[in-house]
Amino acid sequence: MRHTTSIFIWLMAFLWISCGGAYGQEEDKEVLPLLSKYKDPSTKVWFNTYGNIRIGKRFFWDAQTHFRFQETEDTPFIGQVAQIYNRHAIGYIYSKKTNFSLGGVVRINFNTDEDSVDRNVVPEWRIWHQYQFAMPLYTAMIYHRIRIEHRWTQGFAENSEYIFRNRWRYMFRAKIPLNDHKLRPKTLYVSPEAELIMQSGKAVVASPMEDLRLTTTLGYIATPRLTFAAGLMYSQGQDLSNGGIYKQGWTMRFHMYFSPDFRRVKNKLPEIHLTD
């Protein structure tokens, strides 16, 4: 018994020294508040297009463009342009309900701080891969999406260095038809969605939760190749510079999905939602 107690004490001492030493090295870099602090929520508006272009029996081109606006003091609510996304990938359709994608992102970030004397525009680079699975549930469809991003970001200050981070994203979503028992043309649907975005990297000291997004979307399937949707999203996440401070926001999102197919086959609504 005494021997077991000694081993336990030495093990706890080792863990305390290891964790305490690592924490002590970072303690001077970041001082966490005693209680979590929430920033005032900001408002944003996103206009997004999603292109799912079939280029073969198993392959498709995932072409996405996002225009994101954020409020400022002089331009409340919609605000000014904050980011422009160009996200592209080559996707592989493994089965009717499973697909994978691999590609790159160029995001242009605009400085929305009206009092800033730093640069107005900086680019951001990403490599991303995605794994999406669908399953029917009565008249609805359930989607699970795992997306992993490797990103290089830079501040607006002149000569600021790029920092590297990984993003680990999981999204759960349902699509529920409202005026029909199937998701087909002329159908209205509602889509509740939750996505958790975690991050890691040397710059991430005490802020691993980058974003938690809760969204409800109303959509309309106009044709087998064209869908429109709009929704409201609430989000919150830890500030990168201090994990005890949480940013939050309300975002209006407007989407257009198009899926041209040049293979001379019959127009057909995709079995799975490939593009969001």
Side-chain angles (χ1 to χ4, degrees):
M1 180 68 179
R2 184 176 300 173
H3 178 68
T4 304
T5 304
S6 299
I7 293 176
F8 177 76
I9 292 174
W10 278 107
L11 179 61
M12 293 302 295
F14 174 77
L15 292 174
W16 183 84
I17 291 172
S18 300
C19 298
Y23 178 76
Q25 293 174 2
E26 302 292 346
E27 192 172 16
D28 294 337
K29 296 183 179 180
E30 181 173 3
V31 178
L32 297 177
L34 295 177
L35 297 175
S36 297
K37 297 181 180 179
Y38 281 79
K39 294 182 178 180
D40 292 334
S42 60
T43 60
K44 304 173 185 178
V45 178
W46 295 356
F47 298 96
N48 308 321
T49 65
Y50 300 89
N52 172 29
I53 305 167
R54 292 293 292 269
I55 56 178
K57 182 178 180 180
R58 293 285 183 178
F59 291 94
F60 64 94
W61 172 24
D62 192 343
Q64 304 179 18
T65 303
H66 299 178
F67 298 90
R68 299 184 174 181
F69 296 79
Q70 181 172 323
E71 71 169 347
T72 63
E73 291 185 3
D74 292 339
T75 53
F77 189 62
I78 292 182
Q80 68 179 57
V81 61
Q83 296 101 26
I84 297 177
Y85 273 82
N86 269 296
R87 178 187 284 125
H88 297 270
I90 297 298
Y92 177 77
I93 301 172
Y94 178 77
S95 70
K96 289 184 178 181
K97 295 180 175 61
T98 304
N99 71 87
F100 315 115
S101 300
L102 172 64
V105 178
V106 178
R107 186 175 98 164
I108 307 301
N109 297 317
F110 295 84
N111 192 346
T112 56
D113 184 357
E114 295 168 324
D115 298 324
S116 175
V117 295
D118 297 322
R119 294 178 295 175
N120 292 323
V121 181
V122 295
E124 176 180 325
W125 314 93
R126 299 181 189 178
I127 297 172
W128 67 292
H129 39 110
Q130 177 175 289
Y131 313 88
Q132 187 164 245
F133 312 92
M135 56 182 292
L137 181 64
Y138 298 105
T139 61
M141 288 293 291
I142 304 297
Y143 303 91
H144 303 273
R145 189 185 75 187
I146 299 171
R147 179 181 291 177
I148 302 172
E149 298 176 330
H150 314 286
R151 62 190 301 206
W152 290 263
T153 61
Q154 186 183 37
F156 291 104
E158 197 69 39
N159 299 321
S160 61
E161 296 182 355
Y162 278 96
I163 62 173
F164 173 77
R165 285 174 287 164
N166 292 305
R167 299 177 96 200
W168 314 90
R169 306 174 57 168
Y170 169 73
M171 186 190 72
F172 172 86
R173 178 176 52 195
K175 288 180 67 176
I176 307 167
L178 297 178
N179 62 335
D180 204 332
H181 63 282
K182 289 185 178 180
L183 292 166
R184 55 188 177 186
K186 313 304 181 183
T187 300
L188 284 168
Y189 67 87
V190 64
S191 179
E193 172 186 316
E195 183 176 23
L196 177 63
I197 304 176
M198 306 295 288
Q199 62 179 342
S200 63
K202 292 182 178 180
V204 182
V205 178
S207 52
M209 193 188 85
E210 182 178 351
D211 225 359
L212 173 63
R213 299 176 177 178
L214 304 174
T215 308
T216 299
T217 300
L218 183 66
Y220 177 70
I221 303 173
T223 72
R225 299 298 176 191
L226 187 63
T227 296
F228 299 96
L232 178 66
M233 178 180 75
Y234 171 76
S235 62
Q236 70 169 36
Q238 293 174 292
D239 194 286
L240 179 62
S241 62
N242 193 314
I245 299 176
Y246 286 78
K247 57 186 184 296
Q248 55 181 334
W250 292 95
T251 304
M252 291 290 298
R253 305 201 305 179
F254 301 91
H255 311 301
M256 181 182 73
Y257 305 94
F258 60 98
S259 54
D261 191 338
F262 302 106
R263 297 175 302 147
R264 294 184 180 178
V265 296
K266 289 184 178 180
N267 282 346
K268 179 181 173 182
L269 194 68
E271 294 289 341
I272 57 177
H273 193 154
L274 298 172
T275 55
D276 188 3

